[in-house]
Amino acid sequence: MRQNQNKADELGLSRRKTKQTNVDYVLLLAENNTIDLAFMPKDKTVYSLHESVLLIILAALDKVYDADAIALGIPMYEVGTFITKVGEKLAQRELCSPDEATKHSAMKLVHNSKFALLKIVNGLDEEQVIESVFHIVQRCQHDYTRKRLYINVMLFDTLNQLFQDSPKRAELIKKIYDKLSELLYSDMHYWLQRAKCTYRYAKEQSALETAYTYAKKSYDDGGQDIHYKASLTLSIICCAISEHEKGQDKINECRLAIRYANEAVFSDFYQQNNTSLQLDLDAKQGKSHSGIQMVVNACNFIKQNSTDMEDVEISESVLDRLHKLFLEKNS
């Protein structure tokens, strides 16, 4: 890596990052220096529904087990056709580890470049993307063994990363969630992800209030596996709403924010999953601060403006927990 950095600096090229594969780095150089790579699929390549499904899962989860492909209605010969179309330098099947083989299947589809896959995925037609995500959920939602597959694909953070290069990313992801409501209107994971999408792209207070409604449904009606995630999301949404308020209304929103935050950060779920807590708090709302900064601001506002000592004590407790989390993250 050091030799690469030195040579890149000498030639005025971008340095290779630690997590970049060989193909990732070659693609980065090609994009920055307008070099045509023969092994990359051309922009006009047309992908079938099943091929688009494989592209999206592979880009999102880095692998597609043979058993999952079959459950999605994709025969193995179509997987072979997919590999030929995207190129064997980008995707291939390989043997699974003994543990994977026991839980999933003997073989899996993998890739050599997330960067390349994201470029292809972002070139797909909007309707094809929506139909592909819908297909994944429809085929997996009643299959308990594949529940995590469809949940991981429809996570807001997953979709936000997948379509980061799309000029209409916000509109596309909103349309995906609109379509998924046909299947997932009773799924609390869905409502939480839709809440995140709505508040993260919110430009007006009315959108934040809609996001609050979605997250509150997940909070009230979801099980323990989602309740505390919803509580943290509600806290951040209340923080965002408070930025539009003044006087007592602002105090009331910040009060709600710190109480939801207190419930979340001291829950057994987040006490045992500090990494998840850090990730959930690092997310930004629009061009505003990160979640953690918004919660800190709400706590400080309550300390300075509230006459309720219980609220002040809650704020201090939350600030202490977040400070410890910050120290752990940077240790």
Side-chain angles (χ1 to χ4, degrees):
M1 285 294 292
R2 185 177 298 278
Q3 289 178 337
N4 170 272
Q5 289 181 1
N6 290 339
K7 183 57 66 174
D9 288 347
E10 287 178 20
L11 298 174
L13 299 173
S14 301
R15 293 180 178 182
R16 178 176 175 176
K17 305 299 186 294
T18 305
K19 294 184 179 181
Q20 285 177 329
T21 65
N22 290 334
V23 176
D24 281 338
Y25 186 56
V26 169
L27 285 168
L28 175 66
L29 292 179
E31 184 174 79
N32 290 350
N33 298 278
T34 62
I35 300 170
D36 186 30
L37 297 177
F39 66 81
M40 272 294 290
K42 302 306 176 187
D43 291 340
K44 294 183 180 179
T45 302
V46 177
Y47 296 95
S48 68
L49 171 63
H50 286 170
E51 289 165 349
S52 298
V53 166
L54 290 174
L55 276 169
I56 288 171
I57 297 177
L58 196 56
L61 308 181
D62 297 321
K63 55 183 171 285
V64 183
Y65 294 108
D66 283 2
D68 291 338
I70 292 170
L72 289 162
I74 306 173
M76 286 300 99
Y77 78 85
E78 287 192 27
V79 176
T81 302
F82 169 81
I83 292 172
T84 301
K85 188 171 288 188
V86 301
E88 294 183 1
K89 288 184 173 64
L90 296 185
Q92 59 274 147
R93 290 172 73 226
E94 67 177 28
L95 285 169
C96 293
S97 67
D99 184 56
E100 285 180 305
T102 300
K103 295 178 180 178
H104 302 282
S105 54
M107 299 283 291
K108 62 184 176 182
L109 177 69
V110 296
H111 68 81
N112 290 319
S113 173
K114 173 86 80 174
F115 185 79
L117 284 175
L118 290 177
K119 285 181 68 66
I120 298 172
V121 167
N122 279 272
L124 295 174
D125 176 78
E126 180 182 278
E127 289 303 317
Q128 190 171 17
V129 168
I130 295 170
E131 186 180 1
S132 298
V133 176
F134 187 86
H135 179 88
I136 295 167
V137 175
Q138 188 175 46
R139 298 286 303 208
C140 296
Q141 70 173 133
H142 299 303
D143 184 344
Y144 181 78
T145 61
R146 290 178 176 81
K147 183 176 181 180
R148 284 312 317 174
L149 189 156
Y150 93 76
I151 288 177
N152 286 338
V153 168
M154 72 146 187
L155 290 175
F156 171 74
D157 289 335
T158 299
L159 296 175
N160 198 42
Q161 180 190 46
L162 280 181
F163 304 109
Q164 58 186 308
D165 294 330
S166 172
K168 297 182 178 180
R169 174 173 57 174
E171 290 81 357
L172 173 59
I173 297 176
K174 288 176 183 177
K175 287 179 180 179
I176 290 173
Y177 285 125
D178 284 343
K179 181 66 175 177
L180 289 180
S181 66
E182 297 175 22
L183 301 173
L184 301 176
Y185 56 84
S186 61
D187 187 315
M188 296 309 115
H189 288 282
Y190 163 77
W191 285 111
L192 181 58
Q193 299 313 310
R194 188 162 185 176
K196 288 184 177 181
C197 172
T198 305
Y199 94 76
R200 291 274 292 276
Y201 292 139
K203 295 181 180 179
E204 298 177 355
Q205 185 171 346
S206 59
L208 293 172
E209 291 167 352
T210 298
Y212 180 90
T213 300
Y214 294 160
K216 191 65 163 62
K217 176 173 178 57
S218 184
Y219 175 88
D220 288 338
D221 300 340
Q224 290 295 310
D225 61 328
I226 197 170
H227 180 84
Y228 296 108
K229 279 183 167 289
S231 183
L232 187 62
T233 299
L234 283 166
S235 174
I236 297 171
I237 293 172
C238 288
C239 289
I241 293 175
S242 75
E243 294 180 357
H244 295 266
E245 303 286 10
K246 295 180 180 179
Q248 189 60 45
D249 287 339
K250 185 177 182 71
I251 292 175
N252 292 340
E253 288 297 335
C254 287
R255 184 173 184 271
L256 277 176
I258 63 150
R259 288 178 176 267
Y260 281 129
N262 184 63
E263 181 180 8
V265 301
F266 290 106
S267 67
D268 288 341
F269 174 79
Y270 278 123
Q271 294 272 30
Q272 297 167 12
N273 295 277
N274 268 350
T275 300
S276 293
L277 179 58
Q278 289 169 353
L279 290 172
D280 290 341
L281 284 170
D282 280 345
K284 290 188 176 182
Q285 189 269 323
K287 296 181 179 179
S288 186
H289 303 297
S290 63
I292 191 168
Q293 187 59 57
M294 294 170 75
V295 175
V296 167
N297 290 346
C299 289
N300 286 329
F301 182 83
I302 287 295
K303 286 178 63 178
Q304 295 167 8
N305 295 276
S306 178
T307 56
D308 187 321
M309 290 309 299
E310 182 181 1
D311 286 345
V312 172
E313 290 174 2
I314 289 173
S315 296
E316 290 175 342
S317 295
V318 171
L319 286 171
D320 183 61
R321 172 80 168 100
L322 296 182
H323 180 64
K324 291 177 180 177
L325 189 71
F326 174 81
L327 293 177
E328 179 180 312
K329 178 182 178 180
N330 293 280
S331 61

